[in-house]
Amino acid sequence: MSHAPAHSNRLAAETSPYLLQHAHNPVAWQPWGEEALALARAENRPILLSIGYSACHWCHVMAHESFEDPETAAVLNRLFVNIKVDREERPDLDKIYQTAHQLLTGRGGGWPLTVFLDPRDHTPFFAGTYFPREPRHGLPAFTDLCRRVAEWYGEHADDLAGHAWALGEAMTRLNPAPAGGEILDGAPLEDARAQLESAFESRHGGFGQAPKFPHPDNLNRLLRHWHASRVRGNEDETALKMAAMTLTRMAMGGLFDQLGGGFCRYSVDNEWMIPHFEKMLYDNALLLPVYADAAQATGNGFYARIAAETGEWALREMRAPGGGFTSALDADSEGEEGRFYTWTREEVEALLSPGEFAVAAHRFRLDGEPNFEGRWYPHVFHSLAETARRLGIDETEAARRFEAARERLFQARGKRVRPGRDDKVLSAWNGLMIRGLARAGRLLGREDFLQAAEQALDFLRTGLWREGRLLASWKDGRARHAAYLDDYVFLADGILELLQARWREGDLEFALELVEAVLAHFEDREAGGFFFTADDHERLIHRPKPMLDEALPSGNGIAAQVLLRLGHLLGETRYLDAAEGTLRAAWNGIREAPYAHTSLLTALEEYLDPPRSVVLRGHGEALARWQALAQKAYDPGRMVLAIPAEAGALPGLLAERRPRGEAIAYLCTGTACAAPVTTLAGFERALEGKWD
């Protein structure tokens, strides 16, 4: 017999899985919106703003300790208007109040984010992250803190006007002032390379010390730098070695799920052994193309396998009905972090044959000490060659046994209670996954990846594109929330990558519609660059213009890349001017901290050395043959479009790229184009040299 929950609040009508997790708390939570904000103003009660996400471990801990506790809830309900926000649905609010936390406390924030706001203008006056129910770790008890905050507000509310002005001024200054007439040069590219080597952890790979994040943008920058140095004739082998070592160690470690594929959020140690077990769509979407690129650049099949298993994980575990991709898998199951992924030695031994167990035990060191809370979490300690020598068998037999062991363990694990899945579909993260699957599908020859990318694009276009504007989030048939800069530009970038895999009627037109919406509603026409929110977005205490890469690439960096590529491809000077304006807006920050602006560095690189575009027109097998030739080598600055001869009306300069014979190639570098090439031998010669 089912029982009605003892409590319900206004979150019960929401779609966000994170908000629904709190719908039956005794706390009188409300979603962010005019109703809650008006109530706070009318009653002059401060707002307790709590921001988190469904896969967040410490969000769960604070919920269990405090928000599910009736005594704590009674204090919160009496003193505050309580508002819950899913940071993945409302990254605008999260960016603003994470920034405010940094300004108020002098240190970085995180989740859960706990902020107390002035009800009159929503300015934060106290901020923190996780607070325990009882005092510990140098933190006060949450209810004691809440009482002190409410008491302080009652005594000092009239003093907050000056505080609000000062905080507003500080946040405004964070939006970069544009560079003047300075020449944009390549110095930050070299400086970033030096900074990456300085931060490189040479024993285990990666950058900095634990907790260690994968930083796919850093790895992409190193691969691009290596390629550029090779073209110049002074190959930077160290750059390639740093990228390769990091990619290898992450994939051999516990950051990568050795049984089911896909990457966890970060490693809690320097060895990449034990992760924070949540799996985010965006991490995998960003790592997937880097591994595929590394496989192409180095010829190392190991990277191809990791890319393939990452894509397979996404298709198997993260797809929503209709083809979109869901957001995250929780770190916890059965009330324990990592429970789904860890083993006892006895469990493993019971599932495997003696020969299989011998190989798995040596590779995963099951004969050593447990590495996670008395259990074993798979981490590759020994290569197959080492294991084969240890057991006195050949490497082929070791590989056969190991793959059989992996499959048996994977099938057995699938019968366990699975971690929760946040099944909302986010436009921005799907744009990243479309790009990753399209690139990996093309480089690895995976038709299933390409089909999945196309289906995800069609899902977004059908379900989240309304009258020339994009929506940010979809769940259970409901599309919600005005889209942000990242949604538009990540999706446009994904389409450009998908078009390089194969041409579909309507896809380029959709990318151009997205870009035109960005120029119309997000561009800062005075200072350059793009705001995170549109000009008709809800008015908040700050309109950020983020340039730094964080967990996601900078929307401004991706916007500049997309605009440069489309501008050169179509001969559209508006796009080129907007890209240059973005680089100038970010220039002072890029020069001061190039390492933190890797997405904009890629745009800078392509501004200084314009992308080489290859437009092919032709028929059937001949067109496919020319396309494969153009895309055979790793060349991140080359864009290849193979457009069937029968394709409909094309925009801009593409309209002049007319078909002739079985195939024809139009090769350009920036605005400089070579004579069309009409023979396969001539095309091969052109690809070997600089055609401009």
Side-chain angles (χ1 to χ4, degrees), residues 367-401:
D367 49 357
E369 290 295 316
N371 61 359
F372 184 73
E373 298 180 0
R375 297 170 66 86
W376 276 267
Y377 175 63
H379 170 103
V380 177
F381 288 91
H382 301 288
S383 70
L384 276 170
E386 290 170 331
T387 297
R389 283 196 299 271
R390 170 73 177 270
L391 299 178
I393 59 178
D394 65 51
E395 195 170 333
T396 301
E397 174 61 15
R400 187 198 66 76
R401 292 187 195 178

Side-chain angles (χ1 to χ4, degrees), residues 16-19 51-56 59 85-95 111 265 278-282 326-329 421-429 472-474 480-482 484 486-487 532 552:
S16 157
Y18 174 66
L19 298 186
I51 302 178
Y53 60 103
S54 67
C56 166
C59 299
V85 164
D86 181 342
R87 66 108 172 176
E88 296 167 357
E89 277 194 340
R90 295 298 305 263
D92 54 337
L93 294 170
D94 187 53
K95 282 182 183 294
W111 301 279
R265 183 74 192 91
E278 66 191 22
K279 286 185 180 178
M280 311 300 295
L281 183 72
Y282 63 81
T326 59
S327 297
L329 296 181
R421 185 176 78 162
D422 186 318
D423 57 354
K424 66 179 179 293
V425 175
L426 297 172
S427 293
W429 298 8
S473 178
W474 181 97
R480 306 184 64 196
H481 304 297
Y484 311 97
D486 291 1
D487 297 294
F532 187 71
L552 299 179

